Amino acid sequence: MRTKVKNNRLVLLALSLALLVFAPYQGLSQAAKPKFKVVIDPGHGGKDSGTRGKNLLEKNVALAVSMKLGEYLNELLDNVEVIYTRKTDEYSHPKVRAIIANEANADLFVSIHANAMPAGNEHVYGTETYVMGVKNEGRNFEVAKRENSVILLEEDYKEKYQGFDPTSPEVNIAFSIMQEAFQENSILLAQNVEDQFSKRAGRKSRGVKQSSLWVLWNTSMPSVLIELGYLTNPKEERELGSAEVQDYLASAIFRAIRDYINYLESTR
């Protein structure tokens, strides 16, 4: 009996020593795990108001939803670091936004916008999420021209944007090459977003689309551009001005990002 008790004590002593020796390394391993960096890009800002409704400006709607999204990510996900391209009504050109994301070695870039249609199309409404692509036919090309047109606000845009002409239908094939490595994950997140808009936030989803959007082209990570709805549709404009609807949209994007991160973790 004494021998058995003595042996048990030796085992316990060995286990205690092992915990003392390896615990610091275990703590270091956990501390060294990097956070998942999400860049939130509220579209437009400052002198660039974006699209206009009767009462709302795109830059203000985008900022409101972006800040709510950041709050959800910070409060509900411990493993995420949020980086904003702007937190106030200030202007920064698309190149700066891409640089912020690239220099941060971000894992995800989410650009948030609101849509518009020419006069006579006020009936059009719903959400859309864009990924980088060269399919610029029809409506997709109109969105690309509008979102890229901010580049023309820069006096030296030809030098700053490597000669990229946002009004030209001829899109450099480098677009598809630059984003090919991230396309699958970008589409996965975009589909998550549209599913959440439709199923959880009660919005009309117009689906995932591809277009040559400069800010997506120049980010070296999975990237999406989200159109929250149409400011040119009177009903949707009223809804996008509502704090409650803005919260629904932000929480839907949050859940899409959360599910995307969980999927990545499950496949590692």
Side-chain angles (χ1 to χ4, degrees):
M1 178 64 72
R2 288 181 179 177
T3 302
K4 185 175 181 181
V5 171
K6 185 177 180 181
N7 287 341
N8 286 343
R9 286 176 177 173
L10 288 172
V11 170
L12 289 171
L13 179 61
L15 287 172
S16 299
L17 288 171
L19 287 172
L20 287 172
V21 171
F22 291 110
Y25 294 99
Q26 190 175 28
L28 282 172
S29 176
Q30 291 174 352
K33 185 178 179 181
K35 288 195 172 185
F36 192 93
K37 295 180 181 179
V38 178
V39 172
I40 301 176
D41 173 45
H44 309 282
K47 63 182 179 181
D48 172 26
S49 63
T51 61
R52 295 170 178 263
K54 186 176 180 180
N55 301 300
L56 298 180
L57 298 178
E58 177 182 4
K59 65 177 184 177
N60 296 332
V61 175
L63 182 60
V65 174
S66 294
M67 297 306 293
K68 288 176 183 287
L69 169 61
E71 289 175 12
Y72 275 123
L73 289 169
N74 280 323
E75 292 174 7
L76 301 176
L77 297 180
D78 294 332
N79 62 328
V80 167
E81 176 184 349
V82 175
I83 301 165
Y84 297 95
T85 60
R86 70 178 179 101
K87 291 183 176 181
T88 60
D89 183 19
E90 60 182 333
Y91 172 75
S92 64
H93 53 71
K95 188 165 187 176
V96 169
R97 297 165 189 256
I99 289 171
I100 289 171
N102 292 337
E103 289 189 346
N105 292 318
D107 299 289
L108 200 58
F109 181 85
V110 179
S111 192
I112 296 179
H113 294 253
N115 226 326
M117 287 290 283
N121 296 278
E122 291 82 4
H123 62 283
V124 177
Y125 69 101
T127 65
E128 299 169 354
T129 301
Y130 282 83
V131 299
M132 187 61 220
V134 294
K135 296 180 180 179
N136 285 309
E137 302 87 3
R139 176 67 187 148
N140 288 15
F141 181 54
E142 293 304 312
V143 171
K145 282 199 298 182
R146 189 186 70 244
E147 296 296 357
N148 289 329
S149 64
V150 62
I151 292 171
L152 297 179
L153 295 175
E154 305 295 326
E155 292 180 2
D156 56 345
Y157 85 88
K158 288 188 178 179
E159 292 76 23
K160 195 172 287 182
Y161 297 96
Q162 304 166 349
F164 172 58
D165 181 358
T167 64
S168 172
E170 299 298 326
V171 180
N172 195 315
I173 195 64
F175 276 27
S176 59
I177 296 173
M178 288 286 286
Q179 276 293 317
E180 185 176 359
F182 311 112
Q183 191 76 342
E184 184 177 344
N185 281 359
S186 297
I187 292 172
L188 174 63
L189 175 62
Q191 191 59 63
N192 280 359
V193 170
E194 288 301 311
D195 286 346
Q196 289 289 343
F197 280 158
S198 175
K199 297 174 183 177
R200 299 293 296 274
R203 311 305 295 176
K204 177 184 177 180
S205 170
R206 297 173 62 86
V208 175
K209 302 185 178 184
Q210 295 186 22
S211 196
S212 52
L213 299 161
W214 199 94
V215 73
L216 299 186
W217 170 45
N218 218 42
T219 48
S220 55
M221 68 221 51
S223 305
V224 298
L225 186 145
I226 300 169
E227 298 281 7
L228 299 169
Y230 283 79
L231 295 181
T232 46
N233 178 279
K235 180 176 181 291
E236 193 153 60
E237 182 191 15
R238 288 194 301 272
E239 292 172 347
L240 290 174
S242 159
E244 183 179 30
V245 171
Q246 290 172 1
D247 189 67
Y248 287 156
L249 291 165
S251 62
I253 301 169
F254 159 76
R255 288 192 297 268
I257 294 173
R258 178 202 61 195
D259 293 350
Y260 170 81
I261 295 172
N262 289 340
Y263 170 78
L264 293 183
E265 291 291 336
S266 71
T267 57
R268 286 175 181 168

